[in-house]
């Protein structure tokens, strides 16, 4: 399927060294034929999991200035907007204002949002971002990729995930037609070496039919940075290429991540040497080396339609 100049505006972090934010999203999207235009919310030497990092942060005013330039040249036409980790409330506000303006210009624009708030019961962004995500960002979004903790924060409650449909439907009712809970505490029938991801998509043809899926994903014993950003980017790509087939889109998305992580861990163990824990530098995603897997991922994990 030919992508007729499908344009993505991606507002995320930039690092000189390694793969996170825009560095994690741009190459895979470009490989799959998307035009990616990036606004770098920060410019750091590397991700903050290293011992040292230096750099600059883009302010809300500077973001507005960049968008102003695009608008003055009348090249502010986009099919997708992609956003991830943000630390600043005024910046997040400005992003949503821009999304809403772009949606007025193109009502078919799809906003893919990874609402990065925290994990494992702890928030790692300032708490004043939560009401903005809840009241402004998620209602403007079409596709969201929270983890279980983020889903609970957005819903201001801890619904039992056993009534997982309730969680999905509550998130749908906030705005997004596609919800993927990237990791949950649901027990996997395959054992505790697996985590469960869940997806739910309302059909665009107005039939109100919702496809819901679950995937059991093998856990990996290493800390990778940038995989969440890659996940959101690949979900954007594969839902575009397989509209109304969330099962296939999720299988391809998760399979890309699987291949990239597998290649990364093999490399990291090799360079670290036997019985040594790989460093953050050695665990940077092997993105360029995975080009063929990104273009045509062998399906390694199957989704179950619920």
């Amino acid at each position: 399927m030919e992508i007729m100049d499908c344009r993505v505006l991606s507002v995320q972090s930039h690092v000189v060294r390694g793969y996170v934010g825009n560095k994690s999203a741009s190459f895979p999207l470009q490989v799959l034929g998307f035009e990616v235009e990036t606004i770098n919310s920060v410019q750091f030497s590397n991700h903050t999991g290293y011992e040292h990092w230096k750099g600059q942060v883009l302010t809300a005013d500077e973001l507005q200035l960049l968008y102003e330039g695009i608008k003055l040249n009348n090249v502010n036409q986009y099919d997708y907007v992609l956003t991830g980790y943000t630390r600043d409330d005024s910046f997040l506000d400005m992003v949503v204002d821009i999304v809403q303006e772009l949606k007025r210009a193109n009502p078919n624009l799809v906003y893919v949002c990874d609402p990065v708030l925290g994990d494992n019961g702890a928030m790692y962004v300032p708490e004043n971002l939560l009401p903005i995500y809840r009241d402004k960002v998620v209602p403007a979004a079409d596709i969201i990729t929270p983890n279980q903790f983020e889903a609970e924060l957005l819903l201001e409650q801890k619904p039992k995930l056993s009534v997982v449909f309730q969680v999905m439907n509550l998130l749908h009712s906030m705005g997004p037609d596609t919800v993927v809970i990237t990791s949950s505490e649901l027990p996997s029938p395959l054992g505790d070496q697996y985590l469960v991801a869940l997806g739910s998509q309302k059909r665009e043809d107005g039939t109100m039919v919702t496809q819901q899926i679950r995937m059991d994903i093998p856990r990996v014993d290493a800390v990778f940075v940038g995989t969440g950003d890659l996940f959101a980017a690949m979900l954007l790509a594969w839902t575009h290429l397989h509209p109304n087939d969330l099962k296939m889109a999720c299988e391809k998305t998760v399979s890309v991540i699987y291949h990239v992580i597998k290649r990364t861990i093999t490399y990291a163990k090799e360079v670290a040497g036997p019985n040594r824990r790989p460093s953050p530098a050695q665990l940077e995603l092997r993105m360029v080396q995975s080009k063929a897997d990104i273009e045509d991922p062998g399906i390694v994990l199957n989704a179950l339609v619920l």
Side-chain angles (χ1 to χ4, degrees):
M1 169 175 167
E2 179 70 22
I3 301 173
M4 291 299 296
D5 262 8
C6 194
R7 280 184 189 275
V8 181
L9 177 64
S10 182
V11 185
Q12 300 192 66
S13 319
H14 171 77
V15 286
V16 177
R17 161 73 196 240
Y19 292 93
V20 66
N22 274 334
K23 284 282 292 284
S24 228
S26 300
F27 175 75
L29 283 169
Q30 287 167 327
V31 157
L32 288 168
F34 292 81
E35 280 288 353
V36 185
E37 309 193 353
T38 53
I39 292 179
N40 298 327
S41 53
V42 307
Q43 170 168 265
F44 285 173
S45 53
N46 44 266
H47 73 67
T48 55
Y50 283 71
E51 191 180 349
H52 307 282
W53 49 275
K54 302 279 182 199
Q56 300 85 34
V57 176
L58 196 73
T59 66
D61 289 344
E62 290 164 336
L63 168 63
Q64 189 177 19
L65 201 62
L66 288 173
Y67 176 68
E68 199 65 32
I70 293 166
K71 201 163 91 177
L72 286 168
N73 290 310
N74 194 28
V75 288
N76 58 336
Q77 290 84 31
Y78 293 100
D79 302 288
Y80 286 89
V81 175
L82 175 63
T83 65
Y85 178 71
T86 309
R87 281 201 65 83
D88 180 75
D89 55 339
S90 58
F91 190 90
L92 187 58
D93 258 324
M94 181 62 65
V95 168
V96 192
D97 290 345
I98 291 170
V99 169
Q100 285 166 338
E101 184 171 314
L102 292 172
K103 280 194 165 194
R104 285 193 289 275
N106 173 15
N108 295 322
L109 181 140
V110 173
Y111 174 26
V112 181
C113 168
D114 184 6
V116 180
L117 294 162
D119 204 356
N120 302 321
M123 282 186 73
Y124 39 63
V125 300
E127 287 189 15
N128 63 356
L129 265 63
L130 184 51
I132 306 173
Y133 271 111
R134 211 181 266 149
D135 304 332
K136 256 186 103 169
V137 183
V138 173
D142 301 282
I143 299 178
I144 57 168
T145 58
N147 58 37
Q148 180 180 339
F149 176 64
E150 290 160 343
E152 289 167 359
L153 284 175
L154 292 170
L155 295 172
E156 292 186 86
Q157 52 174 304
K158 196 169 173 155
K160 288 195 205 47
L161 256 191
S162 52
V163 280
V164 66
F165 300 117
Q166 185 195 346
V167 178
M168 303 290 212
N169 291 334
L170 286 167
L171 288 167
H172 282 313
S173 68
M174 292 176 76
D177 279 344
T178 302
V179 174
V180 176
I181 295 180
T182 53
S183 63
S184 72
E185 290 154 23
L186 274 183
S188 167
L190 300 176
D192 55 12
Q193 290 310 299
Y194 286 79
L195 61 83
V196 176
L198 302 150
S200 179
Q201 185 171 55
K202 285 159 97 168
R203 287 280 294 274
E204 286 167 13
D205 52 16
T207 52
M208 295 313 290
V209 176
T210 306
Q211 187 187 37
Q212 299 192 302
I213 58 138
R214 69 172 279 160
M215 295 188 82
D216 297 83
I217 304 171
R219 293 180 190 273
V220 183
D221 178 33
V223 178
F224 295 98
V225 179
T227 48
D229 307 319
L230 176 60
F231 187 98
M234 290 298 86
L235 190 65
L236 182 163
W238 294 115
T239 51
H240 179 84
L241 294 164
H242 299 285
N244 289 331
D245 188 356
L246 185 63
K247 174 175 153 55
M248 177 62 86
C250 284
E251 286 174 345
K252 288 199 173 179
T253 297
V254 169
S255 294
V256 168
I257 312 283
Y258 176 89
H259 292 301
V260 172
I261 283 182
K262 198 170 174 213
R263 182 171 282 106
T264 303
I265 211 154
T266 304
Y267 170 83
K269 281 180 172 163
E270 205 172 297
V271 290
N275 307 321
R276 311 240 350 219
R277 271 195 99 75
S279 68
Q282 291 164 339
L283 284 167
E284 289 285 6
L285 297 179
R286 302 290 283 168
M287 194 73 80
V288 172
Q289 296 78 2
S290 302
K291 176 175 174 284
D293 290 319
I294 294 165
E295 289 177 287
D296 186 17
I299 303 293
V300 286
L301 294 163
N302 292 103
L304 187 71
V305 177
L306 297 170

